[in-house]
Amino acid sequence: FAQASSLRYAGSPYGLDDNYYNLYEGEYFQGTELRGNVDKTDLGDLDQKVSSLIITGQSEWTIYT
């Protein structure tokens, strides 16, 4: 069996079923993280650098690249 070398929480800090996104600069959910639950028009330092993301909750999201 493979063993996990690290663990990272993703999703809302307020509830397991809350709508939330986590964007990561690096592959495999590493590096700088941007998280939230509202529309964003500017990703700041992560613009054009997002390599992985996690979306939780039951609402539909649209991600534009």
Side-chain angles (χ1 to χ4, degrees):
F1 291 98
Q3 293 183 1
S5 61
S6 63
L7 179 67
R8 175 178 251 179
Y9 179 82
S12 172
Y14 309 110
L16 294 177
D17 291 331
D18 288 354
N19 299 316
Y20 215 74
Y21 56 82
N22 301 74
L23 308 174
Y24 299 93
E25 179 179 18
E27 294 180 2
Y28 307 110
F29 315 106
Q30 297 180 10
T32 303
E33 176 186 26
L34 176 69
R35 56 189 172 178
N37 60 355
V38 296
D39 291 347
K40 284 212 173 271
T41 57
D42 182 10
L43 299 181
D45 292 341
L46 283 183
D47 190 30
Q48 302 294 316
K49 296 180 183 178
V50 174
S51 294
S52 51
L53 65 102
I54 297 172
I55 299 174
T56 58
Q58 298 188 26
S59 289
E60 297 178 3
W61 289 90
T62 302
I63 307 292
Y64 297 96
T65 60

